[in-house]
Amino acid sequence: MCHAEDSRWYSRTKNFTPYDTLDACLKSGGRLPKGYTHQNTNSQPTDYERSAFNHWVDKDGDCLNERHELLEQLSTGPVHYSGDNCRVVRGRWNDPYTGKILFNSSDVDVDHVVALKRAWITGASSWSDEKRERFANDPINLLVVDDGTNQSKGAKSVLEWLPPNKAYHCNYATRYLRVLITYELEKSYQSKVRSLQQKLCAK
């Protein structure tokens, strides 16, 4: 059974599988309660462009952009730089998504925990350029992880994807929720993520 937020059954439902939209629930094989008229919920902004978020900026003008600043800060071993000192090429990074230790920057991605596209859909489309830039470069939303694992995640939400490392599930969902709250993203989405976070952290 699929319940929309404006449905009188929505707040009464205690045990449920959360979906991003009512349409997603229906497409998975669910159905609407008798007497409820479905309005198309596919009203998410469709004009998302990654360039709307000015990411990997060089805030302090030292030629290391935010990605390489983070690689530098999160390395647990000596850091080696490119010839012009503008890129981190080697270090030692503990990837929470897989539990692996990575040494070459070419093997890692700096992941946006809450993907830029997901932020756009849940509120960032109405933000100022300055706020989008702050979000895209904020360390609370950034992790150094295995590049292949990050590519498998893509723009999926925490409701659709969790890291292979099960020991990190609670921490991942908690961090994800923290970002949503900090940036005041869609309340209904926060609620779904909070329900998942509570389940994961209760294990």
Side-chain angles (χ1 to χ4, degrees):
M1 193 70 69
C2 300
H3 299 298
E5 291 176 46
D6 62 351
S7 160
R8 61 190 175 89
W9 297 278
Y10 184 81
S11 61
R12 303 177 191 176
T13 305
K14 302 303 179 186
N15 296 310
F16 58 89
T17 299
Y19 288 87
D20 282 354
T21 66
L22 181 60
D23 291 325
C25 179
L26 293 171
K27 286 177 182 176
S28 75
R31 61 185 178 83
L32 294 170
K34 187 176 180 181
Y36 181 80
T37 303
H38 172 45
Q39 300 292 327
N40 187 350
T41 60
N42 190 23
S43 58
Q44 298 171 341
T46 57
D47 55 347
Y48 165 75
E49 292 288 344
R50 191 173 174 83
S51 58
F53 295 83
N54 186 20
H55 55 298
W56 307 153
V57 296
D58 180 9
K59 292 180 182 178
D60 54 14
D62 66 352
C63 96
L64 284 172
N65 66 25
E66 200 64 25
R67 179 183 191 278
H68 290 278
E69 295 271 10
L70 201 71
L71 291 178
E72 182 183 57
Q73 293 164 15
L74 295 184
S75 176
T76 59
V79 171
H80 300 273
Y81 302 90
S82 59
D84 59 4
N85 289 320
C86 290
R87 291 181 299 110
V88 172
V89 294
R90 280 185 63 81
R92 187 181 187 278
W93 298 283
N94 301 314
D95 170 22
Y97 286 2
T98 64
K100 296 177 183 176
I101 296 175
L102 305 168
F103 297 94
N104 294 312
S105 66
S106 59
D107 294 330
V108 307
D109 277 348
V110 175
D111 180 40
H112 290 96
V113 176
V114 177
L116 302 182
K117 185 175 182 179
R118 182 61 46 183
W120 179 270
I121 290 169
T122 54
S125 61
S126 63
W127 291 352
S128 66
D129 290 343
E130 184 276 332
K131 185 173 182 179
R132 283 198 287 265
E133 179 178 306
R134 178 156 42 92
F135 177 85
N137 295 279
D138 192 336
I140 75 163
N141 192 36
L142 297 172
L143 289 174
V144 177
V145 300
D146 171 68
D147 57 357
T149 303
N150 186 43
Q151 288 159 24
S152 75
K153 171 191 170 182
K156 295 184 183 77
S157 89
V158 68
L159 305 177
E160 304 166 305
W161 184 91
L162 288 169
N165 180 13
K166 292 182 179 180
Y168 190 64
H169 284 184
C170 171
N171 286 340
Y172 179 73
T174 300
R175 186 161 185 157
Y176 197 104
L177 181 60
R178 177 189 173 194
V179 175
L180 299 183
I181 293 170
T182 299
Y183 283 88
E184 301 178 321
L185 289 163
E186 196 176 88
K187 294 290 186 184
S188 61
Y189 185 51
Q190 285 187 36
S191 179
K192 293 174 186 176
V193 172
R194 184 176 286 105
S195 295
L196 175 65
Q197 184 261 354
Q198 290 170 349
K199 290 178 184 177
L200 292 173
C201 294
K203 292 180 178 179

